[in-house]
Amino acid sequence: MADKIRADKAGSVAELTERFRESNATVLTEYRGLTVKQLTELRRSLGGAEYTVAKNTLAKRAATDAGLTGLDALFTGPTALAFVSGDVVEAAKGLKEFAKANPLLVIKGGVFEGKAISAADVAKLADLESREVLLAKLAGAMKASMGNAAALFQAPLAQAVRTVAALQDKREKEGADA
């Protein structure tokens, strides 16, 4: 790849570089054969992600400028980038569901937390539960743990009360027998 980029393309590279840096994740896809209507539908279904078509040479240069490595093999064929600014899991789910309904969309891989990931890794992200669900499960587990801890702390006190009551009953019984 040449180090020199035409002046008119430098702006595009700078914009893509900034998107790579600001995104929580980026998923690279091949969109060959999809209609404009399908691409519009895909863009709407992604919510917190911006889906854009980019030239491979410019996107590859922008990824390199952003300090990302391991993506060069993914920049083949028609490439579109989903820059995720919101929940990565939700965006991955949206892409996976759309690809299931429209087999012409191929997920190539992407970048998550600054590291290259494969298409299988994107599928694994899509299989995770959303952030809200995971937080709700965590809160439920913490509440259950707190309840268990409270019961555990109360158990010795309750045992002591039962022991004192049993001793008192025993003394009353011995006093009544004497």
Side-chain angles (χ1 to χ4, degrees), residues 29-46 51-53 80 98 102 105:
T29 65
E30 182 176 319
Y31 61 93
R32 184 180 301 161
L34 292 175
T35 65
V36 172
K37 182 180 177 184
Q38 288 171 321
L39 287 173
T40 303
E41 181 184 325
L42 173 60
R43 284 185 174 102
R44 287 186 186 140
S45 71
L46 292 179
Y51 192 74
T52 185
V53 174
F98 188 86
N102 300 282
L105 180 74

Side-chain angles (χ1 to χ4, degrees), residues 88-97 100 107 119-131 133-134 137:
V88 177
V89 172
E90 288 301 317
K93 281 182 193 235
L95 283 166
K96 183 178 177 183
E97 289 172 10
K100 190 182 292 184
I107 298 172
D121 293 332
V122 174
K124 287 178 187 175
L125 280 172
D127 292 336
L128 291 175
E129 294 181 354
S130 70
R131 181 177 189 272
V133 171
L134 292 174
K137 285 185 175 185

Side-chain angles (χ1 to χ4, degrees), residues 83-166:
F83 294 104
V84 182
S85 57
D87 188 3
V88 177
V89 172
E90 288 301 317
K93 281 182 193 235
L95 283 166
K96 183 178 177 183
E97 289 172 10
F98 188 86
K100 190 182 292 184
N102 300 282
L104 294 175
L105 180 74
V106 177
I107 298 172
K108 297 180 181 182
V111 179
F112 180 62
E113 295 181 347
K115 295 183 178 118
I117 59 173
S118 67
D121 293 332
V122 174
K124 287 178 187 175
L125 280 172
D127 292 336
L128 291 175
E129 294 181 354
S130 70
R131 181 177 189 272
E132 291 77 18
V133 171
L134 292 174
L135 287 174
K137 285 185 175 185
L138 176 64
M142 290 174 67
K143 182 178 177 186
S145 294
M146 295 300 281
N148 290 341
L152 184 65
F153 293 136
Q154 288 177 349
L157 180 60
Q159 181 64 33
V161 168
R162 286 192 296 273
T163 304
V164 170

